[in-house]
């Protein structure tokens, strides 16, 4: 008898499941790549910001150390010539400061904590005779400079004669002065900002600066917005003979968004999804066509079996090469006198 098999209906769920796994894997892979790329972009932005901050710091430190050196030169001159007159001091200060690119706007000599000489005198007359014992905040800085016997940069201060400035205080290392003689050089605050570019409204960085004195636990911010510290800035420390300044900076418009960009994640899983849909479509279409062909074959086999078994004539199916009878209908079996099952 002719054998047939019942065709199984095609089930596309396996293909869909595999495609879903592939698309999900592509999305995860794309996410990881973009996350790493976003971290790399952020690090590059931080490095660029750090380089810009280093340039600012170098200009600040260069300016301050240059003016410290000038102040030290004046202190040495006073130590060598402790009995010099105000005119002699003015001539030396004029020669030293007048031929130098400096932020120092005036300088003063103090003996026994009292200002005795000033250059230039014009516009600064009212500070002559000032006793620092009447200014406790400044006296504290003076005592620190005397303690460490080194130049101390402090400020900014609002000056008695007007304006805002940093003050470099350098002890005069002369035992004849009783240990309380020093020279103060006043650095114009705005001039320092201009020289370092911090006063430029178009500067790409938002910067904050804090002074850290050796006897203080926390720094004192004197420039910039305090909120910068809360936004993961880059840092730089400027060391001075006494104390240091800490600079913190970030891009003026804030850090670029550090989370992965959706537009960069989408293409790979989208293309994978399109490919998976195409594969599923052609697979399902092929399975449907195969199932249809199987049904047609089964129906044809059933019709053949019906015709074969119900024919009024004897029908034999004979092997082509060997001549053996492979099958026969009931009428043929009757002609041969055997049963169809035989």
């Amino acid at each position: 008898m002719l054998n047939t098999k019942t065709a199984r209906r095609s089930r596309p769920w396996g293909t869909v499941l595999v495609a879903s796994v592939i698309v999900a894997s592509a999305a995860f892979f794309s996410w990881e790549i973009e996350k790493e790329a976003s971290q790399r972009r952020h690090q590059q932005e931080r490095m660029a910001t750090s380089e810009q901050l280093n340039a600012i710091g170098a200009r600040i430190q260069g300016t301050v150390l240059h003016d410290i050196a000038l102040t030290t030169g004046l202190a040495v001159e006073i130590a060598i010539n402790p009995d010099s007159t105000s005119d002699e001091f003015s001539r030396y200060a004029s020669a030293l400061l007048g031929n130098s690119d400096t932020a120092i706007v005036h300088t003063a000599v103090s003996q026994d904590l009292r200002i005795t000489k000033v250059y230039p005198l014009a516009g600064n007359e009212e500070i002559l005779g000032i006793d620092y014992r009447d200014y406790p905040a400044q006296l504290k800085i003076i005592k620190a400079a005397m303690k460490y016997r080194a130049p101390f940069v402090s400020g900014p201060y609002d000056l008695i004669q007007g304006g805002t400035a940093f003050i470099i205080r350098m002890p005069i290392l002369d035992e004849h002065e009783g240990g309380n003689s020093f020279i103060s050089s006043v650095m114009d605050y705005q001039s320092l900002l201009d020289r370092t570019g911090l006063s430029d409204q178009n500067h790409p960085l938002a910067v904050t600066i804090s002074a850290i004195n050796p006897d203080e636990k926390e720094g004192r911010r004197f420039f910039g917005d305090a909120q910068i510290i809360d936004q993961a800035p880059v840092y730089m420390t400027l060391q001075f003979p006494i104390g240091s300044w800490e600079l913190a900076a970030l891009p003026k418009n804030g850090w670029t968004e550090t989370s992965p960009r959706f537009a960069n994640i989408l293409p790979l899983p989208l293309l994978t999804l399109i490919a998976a849909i195409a594969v599923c479509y052609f697979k399902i279409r092929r399975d449907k066509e195969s199932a249809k062909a199987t049904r047609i074959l089964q129906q044809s086999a059933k019709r053949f079996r019906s015709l074969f078994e119900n024919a009024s004539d004897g029908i034999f199916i004979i092997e082509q090469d060997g001549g053996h009878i492979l099958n026969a209908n009931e009428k043929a079996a009757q002609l041969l006198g055997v049963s169809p099952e035989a």
Side-chain angles (χ1 to χ4, degrees), residues 304-319:
F304 172 78
R305 172 58 61 183
S306 177
L307 292 172
F308 179 76
E309 292 178 349
N310 298 319
S312 57
D313 297 322
I315 300 175
F316 297 90
I317 299 177
I318 301 173
E319 185 181 16

Side-chain angles (χ1 to χ4, degrees), residues 1-18:
M1 297 178 66
L2 181 65
N3 295 322
T4 61
K5 294 182 178 180
T6 303
R8 295 179 180 178
R9 181 172 297 177
S10 174
R11 297 182 181 274
W13 306 116
T15 302
V16 173
L17 178 60
V18 171

Side-chain angles (χ1 to χ4, degrees), residues 9 64 82 130 152 173 183 235 247 251 266 268 274 305 318:
R9 181 172 297 177
V64 174
I130 282 181
F152 197 158
L173 305 180
I183 189 164
Y235 289 91
L247 282 65
L266 187 61
L268 180 58
I274 293 172
R305 172 58 61 183
I318 301 173

Side-chain angles (χ1 to χ4, degrees), residues 26 81 88 105 109 126 149 151-152 156 158 180 182 210 227 236 252 262 288 300-301 307 329 338:
N81 301 294
E88 290 171 337
V105 291
V109 176
E126 59 184 308
R149 309 300 285 173
F152 197 158
D158 292 330
N180 283 328
F182 59 92
S210 299
Q227 294 182 352
M236 180 184 185
K252 182 168 289 186
F262 182 74
K288 286 183 177 180
S300 178
L307 292 172
N329 64 357
V338 296

Side-chain angles (χ1 to χ4, degrees), residues 19 21-27 266-279:
V21 171
I22 293 174
V23 172
S25 299
L266 187 61
L268 180 58
L270 181 60
L271 291 175
T272 305
L273 177 62
I274 293 172
I277 291 174
V279 170

Side-chain angles (χ1 to χ4, degrees), residues 2 4 18 52 85 87 89 92-94 96 115 125 158 169 198 214 255 286 294 303:
L2 181 65
T4 61
V18 171
Q52 292 175 307
T85 65
D87 289 341
F89 170 70
Y92 183 77
S94 175
L96 186 65
I115 297 178
E125 295 89 349
D158 292 330
R169 291 187 171 89
L198 291 175
W255 297 113
R286 187 190 65 181
T294 300
R303 287 196 297 271

Side-chain angles (χ1 to χ4, degrees), residues 74-82 172-174 176-177:
L74 290 172
V76 170
E77 172 64 19
I78 296 297
I80 295 173
N81 301 294
I172 297 174
L173 305 180
D174 182 1
H176 299 294
E177 298 297 337

